[in-house]
Amino acid sequence: MRRKNKVIVFLVVLIVIITAFQFSNFDKKWQVFEKAKHAHLFEIPHRIFDSSGEKLDQYSIFGSSIDEKWLEITQLDKRHRPDFIENIIRRNNDNLRFVSNHSIPPWLSESDVLRLEMMSQNNVLGLKPIPYRVKISRVIYDTGKTYEFPLNTTKIKCDEECAVVKTLNDTYEIFAFHVDRVLGVNRSLPMVARKQFPKFPENTNITLHDGILRPVVWFDPNIVHEGLYQGDQNSFDITWPGYLRILKARCFDRENSNTDPTICVVPIRLVEWARMAILDFMIQNYDRVDRNCCGYHNKSEGESCFKKKFQLECDDDPEKLMLVHIMTSDKDRSRLVLIDNAGNPGRSIDHLNYKLLAGFEELPEHSIEIIKSGFLSKMLRRSLYADKLYWQSIGQQTMDAMIKTVEQRSQKLLAFMEEQNIHTVPDY
């Protein structure tokens, strides 16, 4: 009997010890979880559901930690004001999901967020034609202004309330917009996905009401259209050799060390070209500085330049090779505005266009630091997840593949910088 009591006492003591260990170990595990939540961010494997039963991805739940990481890397004071975040929450836009733990991605400015909100949710009042463009439509949004009806679109100036609905072939530009913002390039126009448009009886050739998802880009009324070569798509006329001369002469660099008008034929700051080069390389957008696809060395992977046989002109007089979509704004003619950023998401990693990086001695420091941080993919997921319709239309598997491709290209960019001894400079 005594022996049995001793066994019972031993078992009780053992249970107490194990329980105490479990509780102490739980504290350690919880600390590890909390640390992982903020340090490793999206690596928590399980899913959580919202009140409607829809799965909430880690990109929404732990997005605020990604936001803090971006601020830490860039050392930029771009944290959104609490009252602005509350305002966005009150809008209750089912098409967008910016907010995570009362944080909005800091790489999106307040004007970005408001324009995305407008384009994705506000009622569309009518159409305003774009000269020489029949495949795309400019729409006018209801922003609270007072209009007389029937609407006279010729009197509407499109100061802030207009956007351009682009074709299905331009959908990748939404992805490019988020790459632009995450890397701190900040020169493309806000872009979002939208399905719901009204029917326009007066325009029978416009079928926006068909419920198909389309990319919508904010219309900037200040873009300058003054180029002679395809004037509606250029602010300046620049040849490929002329562009290289600008880079070599370091026109309008940080110290304005060269403003020679015979070489520095446009007022664009040197760092602006570097911003452009980073974005174009990451999305493989050849159709700005290499419209003929000379940098692909006859290795076609679906680019329209090969279908149109533009590459046959690569051996012609270089002075005939023109840059396209070189745009600026009346608000600041020293800055670029990057439009038509369709790029090629499928271009293989072994056949990239390095001509897009030709002529550079330096690239913006903050963009390169983001790439080096190892958080680029997580930041892109956080940013793209905000556009609910685009994310759902693409699907997570395809989205992950596209993000992985950009990550691989970023490593190729770093390798190219090392080979060519390209250094970084603070933005200016």
Side-chain angles (χ1 to χ4, degrees):
M1 192 69 173
R2 286 182 183 176
R3 187 174 180 181
K4 184 176 182 181
N5 289 339
K6 286 181 179 181
V7 171
I8 293 173
V9 170
F10 173 77
L11 290 174
V12 169
V13 171
L14 184 61
I15 291 171
V16 170
I17 293 173
I18 291 173
T19 303
F21 175 77
Q22 289 285 358
F23 273 107
S24 64
N25 202 35
F26 173 80
D27 289 337
K28 292 179 182 178
K29 287 181 178 179
W30 181 254
Q31 291 172 8
V32 170
F33 172 81
E34 285 293 303
K35 185 176 180 181
K37 186 173 74 172
H38 295 289
H40 300 297
L41 307 165
F42 295 152
E43 296 176 8
I44 312 298
H46 59 272
R47 305 278 183 175
I48 300 177
F49 293 80
D50 68 5
S51 57
S52 67
E54 181 182 356
K55 288 182 179 179
L56 290 178
D57 291 81
Q58 304 94 312
Y59 321 121
S60 174
I61 301 164
F62 302 117
S64 59
S65 300
I66 284 291
D67 300 346
E68 292 299 320
K69 190 66 181 178
W70 189 89
L71 292 167
E72 176 189 328
I73 294 167
T74 61
Q75 296 294 299
L76 295 174
D77 184 18
K78 289 193 173 185
R79 190 175 279 104
H80 289 287
R81 297 176 289 109
D83 61 321
F84 177 74
I85 296 174
E86 289 298 329
N87 177 38
I88 297 303
I89 293 174
R90 284 194 296 271
R91 287 171 179 256
N92 196 29
N93 187 346
D94 288 336
N95 299 323
L96 297 174
R97 43 194 180 189
F98 293 117
V99 182
S100 169
N101 295 332
H102 279 75
S103 177
I104 290 176
W107 50 83
L108 297 175
S109 67
E110 286 193 6
S111 61
D112 283 337
V113 173
L114 292 175
R115 286 164 182 163
L116 294 173
E117 287 277 340
M118 177 191 77
M119 293 188 294
S120 66
Q121 180 172 244
N122 287 26
N123 291 331
V124 175
L125 300 178
L127 293 173
K128 187 175 177 65
I130 303 176
Y132 313 112
R133 295 298 187 95
V134 295
K135 292 184 179 181
I136 57 178
S137 306
R138 179 166 48 181
V139 294
I140 304 164
Y141 286 99
D142 182 0
T143 58
K145 291 183 179 181
T146 302
Y147 297 110
E148 293 183 2
F149 288 89
L151 197 66
N152 186 349
T153 60
T154 60
K155 294 183 178 180
I156 297 176
K157 296 181 179 179
C158 282
D159 292 328
E160 185 69 37
E161 67 272 35
C162 295
V164 176
V165 184
K166 305 197 73 174
T167 69
L168 296 177
N169 293 333
D170 300 315
T171 304
Y172 184 63
E173 289 193 47
I174 299 174
F175 187 94
F177 163 69
H178 290 275
V179 175
D180 169 273
R181 290 302 193 267
V182 167
L183 288 177
V185 175
N186 292 331
R187 292 298 178 265
S188 66
L189 300 174
M191 202 156 190
V192 72
R194 179 164 177 149
K195 285 184 177 180
Q196 300 301 322
F197 295 92
K199 188 173 183 179
F200 301 100
E202 69 277 15
N203 298 92
T204 56
N205 59 323
I206 302 295
T207 59
L208 299 181
H209 60 280
D210 56 14
I212 296 174
L213 182 142
R214 287 177 171 85
V216 184
V217 60
W218 179 67
F219 178 79
D220 185 349
N222 299 299
I223 287 181
V224 177
H225 300 271
E226 292 181 353
L228 297 177
Y229 178 74
Q230 297 190 348
D232 68 319
Q233 298 185 62
N234 286 288
S235 300
F236 314 103
D237 292 322
I238 306 176
T239 66
W240 169 250
Y243 169 66
L244 293 180
R245 287 192 290 268
I246 289 171
L247 298 182
K248 186 175 182 180
R250 299 183 58 80
C251 294
F252 301 103
D253 63 4
R254 193 182 192 91
E255 293 79 26
N256 277 330
S257 55
N258 192 349
T259 58
D260 181 355
T262 63
I263 301 175
C264 306
V265 293
V266 296
I268 303 298
R269 291 177 299 189
L270 184 63
V271 74
E272 293 293 301
W273 301 116
R275 289 172 180 263
M276 177 190 76
I278 288 177
L279 178 63
D280 283 351
F281 183 80
M282 295 290 277
I283 64 174
Q284 284 297 289
N285 178 30
Y286 64 89
D287 195 25
R288 197 177 341 256
V289 301
D290 187 22
R291 170 161 275 201
N292 298 77
C293 289
C294 304
Y296 286 129
H297 306 292
N298 285 320
K299 291 183 174 64
S300 172
E301 293 188 13
E303 290 82 3
S304 63
C305 54
F306 290 106
K307 297 175 183 177
K308 297 175 182 178
K309 299 186 178 180
F310 286 170
Q311 82 280 8
L312 299 178
E313 301 173 11
C314 290
D315 296 328
D316 293 347
D317 181 1
E319 293 290 347
K320 293 181 180 179
L321 300 178
M322 303 294 294
L323 274 60
V324 187
H325 303 152
I326 304 301
M327 311 298 290
T328 188
S329 169
D330 263 334
K331 286 189 173 181
D332 187 349
R333 293 209 173 200
S334 70
R335 290 173 47 148
L336 289 170
V337 179
L338 303 180
I339 67 168
D340 291 349
N341 305 307
N344 184 354
R347 168 56 68 164
S348 62
I349 197 68
D350 295 325
H351 298 127
L352 300 177
N353 191 336
Y354 288 93
K355 188 175 180 180
L356 306 178
L357 301 173
F360 287 95
E361 299 175 353
E362 58 191 34
L363 294 175
E365 182 177 65
H366 61 272
S367 298
I368 302 305
E369 287 303 312
I370 290 170
I371 291 172
K372 287 182 176 180
S373 73
F375 283 86
L376 175 59
S377 294
K378 296 179 175 66
M379 292 171 184
L380 284 174
R381 287 189 181 93
R382 158 71 168 143
S383 196
L384 288 157
Y385 185 79
D387 192 333
K388 183 178 179 179
L389 292 182
Y390 181 60
W391 181 278
Q392 291 179 342
S393 69
I394 295 296
Q396 184 169 332
Q397 185 175 357
T398 301
M399 191 74 78
D400 284 346
M402 291 165 64
I403 292 172
K404 181 179 179 180
T405 295
V406 168
E407 176 67 40
Q408 291 173 335
R409 290 174 184 173
S410 74
Q411 297 309 305
K412 290 289 187 178
L413 173 60
L414 295 180
F416 182 81
M417 289 179 65
E418 186 174 351
E419 291 170 6
Q420 302 296 319
N421 196 27
I422 299 173
H423 59 277
T424 61
V425 292
D427 196 12
Y428 55 91

